Amino acid sequence: MDIRPIKTEEDLTWALAEVEQYFVSPPTPGTPEADRFDVLTDLIEAYENRHHPIAAPDPIQALCVYMEETHKGPVELAAVLGSRPRASEVLSKKRGLSLEMIRKINAAWKIPAETLIQPYHLEQ
């Protein structure tokens, strides 16, 4: 099972090329090829997490992206939070998200609470 550790960008390029074939023709579950695919993708993920971590998004940026993608505006956020001024203050980062606000947004829009709990800087 031609597999090796991924220690360099060159190793990563090799591993990505190796798994690319499985996207075109997925291996049959339970076969050595399926095991190879699983091991290679785990190695790729571990290397990328270690060398190319993706920072958690700013909660308000994540909220704005969600609102843009779902064509929601401040009025809809106000309906979730219970107040237009509160929604405006949250979007302008003048007010932080409280736990209750996070729960309401999560319940209404299914944005993961973990995304909204991340720390961020409030504007003065």
Side-chain angles (χ1 to χ4, degrees):
M1 189 188 303
D2 178 31
I3 294 178
R4 62 181 191 242
I6 300 175
K7 296 180 180 179
T8 65
E9 291 294 318
E10 186 177 283
D11 292 336
L12 178 63
T13 301
W14 168 82
L16 290 169
E18 290 294 308
V19 298
E20 185 175 13
Q21 66 182 317
Y22 299 123
F23 294 119
V24 176
S25 178
T28 305
T31 65
E33 287 299 303
D35 291 343
R36 183 173 191 269
F37 175 74
D38 288 344
V39 171
L40 283 170
T41 56
D42 286 347
L43 289 171
I44 290 167
E45 181 180 14
Y47 180 86
E48 288 182 339
N49 287 342
R50 197 169 34 253
H51 297 281
H52 304 287
I54 297 173
D58 173 290
I60 304 307
Q61 287 176 329
L63 182 59
C64 288
V65 167
Y66 173 84
M67 290 171 62
E68 185 176 317
E69 289 176 354
T70 58
H71 307 288
K72 293 182 183 344
V75 172
E76 288 85 1
L77 181 59
V80 171
L81 298 181
S83 150
R84 285 185 102 161
R86 184 172 297 140
S88 177
E89 290 172 346
V90 165
L91 291 174
S92 65
K93 294 186 178 180
K94 300 240 186 281
R95 174 190 291 254
L97 287 168
S98 68
L99 190 53
E100 184 60 28
M101 288 183 215
I102 291 169
R103 285 183 179 134
K104 287 178 178 181
I105 294 168
N106 173 261
W109 292 350
K110 308 300 184 235
I111 297 175
E114 301 80 33
T115 299
L116 300 172
I117 289 174
Q118 299 298 320
Y120 62 97
H121 177 71
L122 292 176
E123 301 295 323
Q124 298 297 330

